[in-house]
Each structure stands twice: as structure tokens, then as C-alpha cells.
Amino acid sequence: MLPQKQAEEAIVSNFNEADPEGKEEQQPIEDDQSIFNVKNLLWHGGSAWDAWFSCSSNQVAQVLLTLPYSFSQLGMLSGVILQIFYGLVGSWTAYLISVLYVEYRSRKEKEGVSFKNHVIQWYEVLDGLLGPYWKAAGLAFNCTFLLFGSVIQLIACASNIYYINDRLDKRTWTYIFGACCATTVFIPSFHNYRIWSFLGLGMTTYTAWYLTIAALVNGQVDGVQHSAPTKLVLYFTGATNILYTFGGHAVTVEIMHAMWKPQKFKYIYLLATLYVFTLTLPSASAVYWAFGDQLLNHSNAFSLLPKSGWRDSAVILMLIHQFITFGFACTPLYFVWEKVIGMHDTRSICLRALARLPVVIPIWFLAIIFPFFGPINSAVGALLVSFTVYIIPSLAHMLTYRKASARQNAAEKPPFFLPSWTAMYAMNTFVVVWVFVLGFGFGGWASVTNFVRQVDTFGLFAKCYQCKPPPPTAAHQPAIAPPHH
């Protein structure tokens, strides 16, 4: 019996060799077709590369078009520095989340818990490691963040398509794209986003370099001014939008769980962020250089660039990518809802899709109420991302390993670049204090002030936010008085 017991312990301790959907990764190869068929190529993705594509694609969606707007609030120097700073801090907290996931899963599987047909989520990790109050906090912040993240994608779809076809107003386009994005209910999990993640990153890469080259070719507009920063409200609004840019962590655990070897995730988010820098820094800098203060009234960079085939191609690619990003943001919400109503273990894709539809309806409704995604980005960044992405993971890591026994038996030891537990505690404390004071405090004040101002100016349920007024028709032109004889 001893060899059998050793084999069972090896399986438990090496959980990361298992496919999260219950199939062993090292299954026997029956024939070459089992590896090279089209379904596996396009549908079943669980490698480190798949995770990298998912993280990279998820980070740089609509935010590409709002970063020049943020630069117009921050100024060029602050915009570049804050992008690099929050990108690195975001990579650090993504690393913490991956460590806590591995810790939670290794503890549970040593207890004999099976995760076949069950996707682990961040709130479950917090619950298993720290208790129900942390579970409630994680669930509240994550779900609200993902809800508004999905809303932003719908608003952005309507905003972008308007630059190609303005015969319909943006609110009507929101109705149409809400129906299109509802089809994401048919994608079972992040394990099935392989081809979409690959295509999505290609689309944002094209769009980023289109923005860069088009701005440089267009050159600086007449009388261009770069007066930022001018007001504290605008400065911290822009800063929180950048904080939001590198806060795709709400889906980190789900992406990890879709991997065949989740322990390989540790540095994937950092590598994804470094690639994202090659897209965001050149495009935001070039567009701000070309248009300057005009961007203060144009939160979507497409609105200032001249109409051309290149621009229309970028708009269409971003529309497709926003559909993908909508699915990324909604899928964790689908999982939570499935667990609430007891449908998470259901094998039928159609039945699960039907159960997921109630999640899409409030997102659709909110996108129609608040049709301005620039200010929403900042508000979500300050009030939700600051906790979900930065503060909660840092505090959770410190509390999980507060005891010497926990540190000694940790599934993941401190990284090679920060090998002491004391240094990790110092780093986590810095992140918590910085983000709470500047991100949540000042950023929350600035973004809410800006958000309220937008509502007062344009109103809720705006039919066409930041649209050009239609040319006057003959019926509305003032009558010309007949000449007096």
C-alpha cells in the first residue's frame, strides 16, 4: 500500500499538473489528430502563452483611446511616470494574487477537495484563507468592478461605431451592441478564449500603432497647447484612469484556473504589462503631442483623428475587441451567478447560457443611463480598482502569512528579487498606504467631482454624448424677411 499512498500524495502536492476541467494534462496520446485538430487549436487553451495573451489582451482595450485624454489632464511627464509606476505595482499585486491562489488550492487539495467542474474565484480564495468577512469584501468589490467594466465596454462600442456611421445616435448603437455582446453567455470559461485572446491582442496592437502613426503624420494642430496639469481635480482624475488601466486583476484567478500549470502564472502578468507599455506609451504620447488641450473635451482619441480607411479599420477592430473584453469582464460574473442559482456544475452550454442572461440585462441598462466612459473609468479606478486590485491583495497576503508557521509551510516562498518576508511586508504596506491616500482618497474625490459634473452637463440617458450638433435643416432655418419696397 505504501507505493499507492506515495502516488496519491504526489498527485495532491502537484495539483498544477491537472487540467482544471478534470482532464489530466499528460493524458495518453491516442493519435495525432487528438493534438492537432482544429477544436483543440482554437478552443482549448491552458498554456502559459494562453494566459499571457489573455492578460495582455484584457489590459489594453478601450483604455487605449482614453489614455491621451488622461495625458491632457496630467501632462506628458506625469502621464509617462504614472503609467510605468502603476504598471509595475499592478504586476506586483497580480503576483500576490497568484501566490494566494496557489496557497489556497494546495491547502484544499491536501484536504481532498476536488475542483473538477468548479472554477475557483478570488472571493473563494479570500474565504478559504481569511474567512467570510474577506469573502464578502472580495465579492462586493470584484463584482461591482466587473459590472462597470462591462458597462464601459458597451458604451465604448457605441462611441466608436458612431465615428463610422453617425446615421444612428449612440444610444441606439448601445441597444444594438448590448444584444451582440449578450452572445458571450455561450463561451463556457477562460479555457475557451484561446483564439479570442490572440486576435484581441493583434487588434489592440494595430490600433495603438495606428494612433501613434496617425498623430505623428497629422502633426500638431494650429495653436496647440499643452497646459496640463492645471487643476488638482483633473490631475487626480487622470491619475486614477491610469490606475484603472493596469487593474485587470478581477479576472486573474479565473485565468490562472484555466491554466494546465497555474504555478507558471507568477511572472506572466509582468511580461504582459511590459508588452502593454509598448502600446500605451507611444500612442498616448503621440496623440497628446499632436492635439494637446483639445483632448480635455474628447475622451475618445478617435474623435480628433481624420476619417480614413486606416481609422475605420482601427474602429472596427476595436469593436470586435470590445466584444471580447466584454466577455472577459462578464465571465466571472456569470460564474458567480451560476453558483448562486446552482447551475455551475451543469454540462449543457445552452442551459448555462440561458441561466446567464439575467447578468447581461442590468449591464445593458446602466450603459444607457451613463453614456460617458471616460469619467466612469476614473470613478471605477478610484472607488473599486484601488481596493480590488491593490489594497485587498496586499492586505490579504500580509494576513495570510502573519504567523511563522504559515510562512514556513508556504506553498510559494518569497521571490528571488525580494527574498525576505520583511521586505515583502514593507512593499505591501507601501502599496496599501499609497493607493489608499492617493488613489482612493484624492482620486476618489477628483473622479466623483468630475463624474457629477458630467451628469449635470449632459444628463442621464443622454441620446448622443459628445456628438456634433446636426446641421440645421430648412425647416429650422430662420425665415428671411422679404425686402421692403
Side-chain angles (χ1 to χ4, degrees):
M1 292 298 291
L2 184 59
Q4 182 180 355
K5 183 178 180 181
Q6 288 175 340
E8 289 173 354
E9 289 175 351
I11 290 171
V12 170
S13 63
N14 200 24
F15 71 84
N16 55 303
E17 296 293 334
D19 185 311
E21 295 194 0
K23 305 170 189 172
E24 290 296 325
E25 183 196 13
Q26 297 180 350
Q27 56 190 336
I29 301 174
E30 296 177 0
D31 52 53
D32 291 342
Q33 291 181 354
S34 66
I35 298 177
F36 296 108
N37 66 47
V38 174
K39 185 178 178 182
N40 283 341
L41 180 66
L42 303 181
W43 189 250
H44 293 300
S47 68
W49 277 105
D50 288 305
W52 182 83
F53 276 113
S54 292
C55 289
S56 303
S57 177
N58 190 43
Q59 268 194 49
V60 288
Q62 184 62 25
V63 77
L64 264 181
L65 307 177
T66 61
L67 280 173
Y69 167 67
S70 298
F71 270 46
S72 72
Q73 298 168 320
L74 291 163
M76 186 77 78
L77 181 62
S78 290
V80 171
I81 290 173
L82 285 174
Q83 270 203 52
I84 295 171
F85 174 73
Y86 281 123
L88 296 178
V89 173
S91 298
W92 170 253
T93 53
Y95 168 80
L96 297 180
I97 291 172
S98 72
V99 167
L100 293 172
Y101 169 88
V102 170
E103 182 69 37
Y104 167 77
R105 186 163 176 177
S106 63
R107 288 185 190 183
K108 287 295 181 184
E109 295 201 345
K110 284 176 183 176
E111 296 171 6
V113 177
S114 171
F115 292 105
K116 185 178 181 180
N117 300 327
H118 181 93
V119 177
I120 298 173
Q121 295 189 265
W122 177 228
Y123 73 90
E124 293 170 317
V125 173
L126 292 173
D127 184 29
L129 297 177
L130 297 172
Y133 292 110
W134 282 85
K135 172 187 176 180
L139 194 58
F141 278 108
N142 244 36
C143 289
T144 312
F145 169 36
L146 290 168
L147 179 75
F148 280 100
S150 305
V151 169
I152 288 165
Q153 296 311 315
L154 272 190
I155 298 169
C157 283
S159 176
N160 289 344
I161 192 64
Y162 186 78
Y163 297 119
I164 291 181
N165 185 337
D166 59 3
R167 287 191 291 275
L168 298 176
D169 59 75
K170 291 182 182 179
R171 189 168 65 192
T172 304
W173 280 120
T174 305
Y175 293 137
I176 294 169
F177 278 100
C180 294
C181 289
T183 58
T184 57
V185 297
F186 289 100
I187 302 177
S189 73
F190 284 102
H191 195 67
N192 311 112
Y193 268 96
R194 165 174 279 186
I195 187 63
W196 294 114
S197 298
F198 177 78
L199 291 174
L201 189 58
M203 293 165 186
T204 48
T205 300
Y206 171 89
T207 303
W209 285 108
Y210 157 73
L211 291 173
T212 305
I213 295 168
L216 294 175
V217 169
N218 187 73
Q220 291 186 313
V221 295
D222 293 337
V224 65
Q225 292 185 327
H226 301 89
S227 56
T230 55
K231 297 179 181 178
L232 278 179
V233 170
L234 292 178
Y235 187 87
F236 283 107
T237 301
T240 50
N241 188 36
I242 291 181
L243 178 144
Y244 171 85
T245 302
F246 297 97
H249 303 48
V251 296
T252 299
V253 171
E254 288 83 359
I255 291 173
M256 279 189 72
H257 192 82
M259 293 178 69
W260 294 315
K261 296 184 178 181
Q263 286 180 329
K264 285 187 174 182
F265 186 86
K266 286 185 290 188
Y267 305 117
I268 285 176
Y269 198 91
L270 174 62
L271 296 174
T273 299
L274 294 178
Y275 180 77
V276 167
F277 283 155
T278 69
L279 305 181
T280 58
L281 289 170
S283 60
S285 302
V287 175
Y288 178 55
W289 169 82
F291 297 101
D293 291 353
Q294 284 188 24
L295 285 158
L296 286 169
N297 297 315
H298 296 82
S299 54
N300 189 325
F302 280 147
S303 63
L304 290 173
L305 290 166
K307 185 175 175 61
S308 67
W310 296 102
R311 192 192 76 165
D312 289 352
S313 298
V315 171
I316 292 167
L317 290 177
M318 283 303 292
L319 285 171
I320 300 170
H321 186 260
Q322 277 149 5
F323 163 82
I324 298 167
T325 309
F326 182 92
F328 266 85
C330 262
T331 299
L333 294 175
Y334 296 153
F335 292 155
V336 172
W337 178 246
E338 286 170 359
K339 291 169 185 176
V340 168
I341 63 174
M343 295 286 287
H344 190 57
D345 296 333
T346 305
R347 286 286 190 174
S348 169
I349 291 178
C350 292
L351 201 58
R352 287 178 72 182
L354 192 63
R356 290 172 169 189
L357 278 176
V359 176
V360 179
I361 294 168
I363 293 169
W364 206 350
F365 187 64
L366 287 169
I368 294 164
I369 298 176
F370 304 110
F372 24 84
F373 61 82
I376 291 178
N377 276 0
S378 301
V380 169
L383 304 179
L384 299 173
V385 176
S386 56
F387 282 93
T388 299
V389 172
Y390 301 97
I391 294 174
I392 290 178
S394 301
L395 287 175
H397 188 273
M398 288 193 285
L399 290 174
T400 298
Y401 297 108
R402 65 189 181 279
K403 295 180 180 178
S405 59
R407 295 193 293 273
Q408 187 176 355
N409 299 316
E412 288 281 340
K413 302 301 181 185
F416 70 91
F417 57 88
L418 210 63
S420 111
W421 286 100
T422 304
M424 290 195 75
Y425 267 72
M427 178 71 171
N428 289 338
T429 303
F430 167 76
V431 172
V432 170
V433 173
W434 176 279
V435 174
F436 185 79
V437 174
L438 294 179
F440 176 71
F442 286 99
W445 159 73
S447 58
V448 170
T449 301
N450 189 41
F451 185 82
V452 171
R453 186 179 301 155
Q454 296 283 358
V455 174
D456 289 342
T457 305
F458 296 98
L460 303 178
F461 296 98
K463 190 172 184 179
C464 209
Y465 171 69
Q466 285 189 347
C467 298
K468 293 179 180 177
T473 60
H476 293 89
Q477 287 178 350
I480 299 174
H484 295 284
H485 298 288

